[in-house]
Amino acid sequence: ARPPARPEPPRPSSPRAPRSPRRERARARRAPRRPPASAAKRSGRSLFRRGTGASLAGDERDRGGSGCTDAASAMSATINLCSADGQMFEVDEAVAFESQMIKNMIEDTGSDAPIPVPNVSSNILAKVIEYCKYHVENEPGEGEGAKASEEDMKQWDNKFVEVEQSTLFELILAANYLNIKSLLDLTCRTVANMIKGKTPQEIRDTFSIKNDFTPEEEEEVRRENSWAFE
């Protein structure tokens, strides 16, 4: 019989070489960092504030938009217009929105600051506001009848344009600049009625237009456009 094998004596373990400082720094960079306790507390407080703000906003919505929401809507109910000569006019938003130009400007930039109207003087802007206010108050809205009949509104319009020629022409320019189609149609129709049925000389006399044609030039125009003088 073979004698049993003798167990080998345990080998002495070699001492582990000390790590270099460079490896220690690399290991420290790879290890996840734990946020300090103060940062965790600040994060918790900010989350608490955000959650509280959201819940308060939700409560405001649940109460039907009271508080700041009502204040903002009340402030946006009127619009300030500044004329070319620096006079301020405070008008209702619906009246200001009769002008498509002002409506587009407010939708783009808001109504916190006064809306400048640099091409319209104060006396003409006052007339434009008078026209817009009357039509907003008397034209029918959704689900309601007109407060003034169509005939009454037509008579009011006819009386509105019974002004001096200079004022009428300034109203045309203002309506065109502010893009108020109904006022532009009214004023242009008024001028067309003033011209209708009149000779060129009568038109010159009506609008104080100086004839800068020589007799020869006028005769040539008549000959080239004889159909217009029949």
Side-chain angles (χ1 to χ4, degrees):
R2 185 178 295 179
R6 296 173 59 185
E8 295 182 0
R11 295 180 181 179
S13 59
S14 59
R16 183 177 297 179
R19 296 176 180 174
S20 65
R22 182 180 298 176
R23 292 182 62 186
E24 288 292 336
R25 286 195 297 269
R27 183 182 179 187
R29 281 196 298 268
R30 289 194 300 268
R33 296 182 179 180
R34 295 182 59 185
S38 57
K41 291 180 180 179
R42 286 197 300 269
S43 176
R45 285 198 295 268
S46 62
L47 288 173
F48 175 75
R49 290 196 201 100
R50 286 197 291 269
T52 304
S55 62
L56 289 176
D59 294 341
E60 287 292 331
R61 289 193 296 268
D62 294 339
R63 289 197 295 267
S66 58
C68 296
T69 307
D70 288 346
S73 60
M75 291 175 64
S76 63
T78 58
I79 306 296
N80 290 317
L81 306 177
C82 183
S83 65
D85 47 356
Q87 187 168 342
M88 300 293 296
F89 294 86
E90 185 176 354
V91 299
D92 291 339
E93 187 178 67
V95 175
F97 278 13
E98 287 289 289
S99 164
Q100 191 64 40
M101 186 271 287
I102 293 177
K103 182 178 180 181
N104 293 340
M105 186 180 298
I106 291 174
E107 290 176 349
D108 290 341
T109 62
S111 59
D112 296 335
I115 303 299
V117 190
N119 293 359
V120 185
S121 60
S122 57
N123 60 326
I124 298 300
L125 185 56
K127 290 284 292 180
V128 172
I129 293 173
E130 178 188 356
Y131 172 87
C132 294
K133 185 176 181 182
Y134 176 82
H135 279 260
V136 167
E137 292 177 348
N138 291 279
E139 286 183 349
E142 296 182 0
E144 60 181 17
K147 297 180 181 179
S149 65
E150 185 176 349
E151 185 63 27
D152 290 340
M153 296 184 69
K154 186 176 180 179
Q155 291 180 2
W156 189 93
D157 285 348
N158 292 336
K159 189 174 181 179
F160 176 79
V161 291
E162 291 178 358
V163 294
E164 296 180 357
Q165 285 185 18
S166 58
T167 302
L168 181 61
F169 292 144
E170 287 189 60
L171 284 172
I172 292 175
L173 295 175
N176 182 61
Y177 172 70
L178 295 170
N179 196 1
I180 307 175
K181 186 179 183 302
S182 59
L183 179 58
L184 183 62
D185 290 344
L186 172 64
T187 50
C188 289
R189 186 169 59 248
T190 302
V191 174
N193 291 334
M194 296 169 66
I195 296 174
K196 187 177 180 179
K198 292 184 177 180
T199 64
Q201 187 57 45
E202 289 173 339
I203 294 173
R204 293 191 190 102
D205 295 339
T206 300
F207 298 106
S208 301
I209 300 174
K210 183 180 178 180
N211 184 10
D212 55 356
F213 284 100
T214 64
E216 293 78 11
E217 290 174 337
E218 189 170 351
E219 182 61 30
E220 183 180 355
V221 170
R222 286 178 177 274
R223 186 172 59 255
E224 292 177 352
N225 302 277
S226 58
W227 58 270
F229 298 94
E230 293 177 355

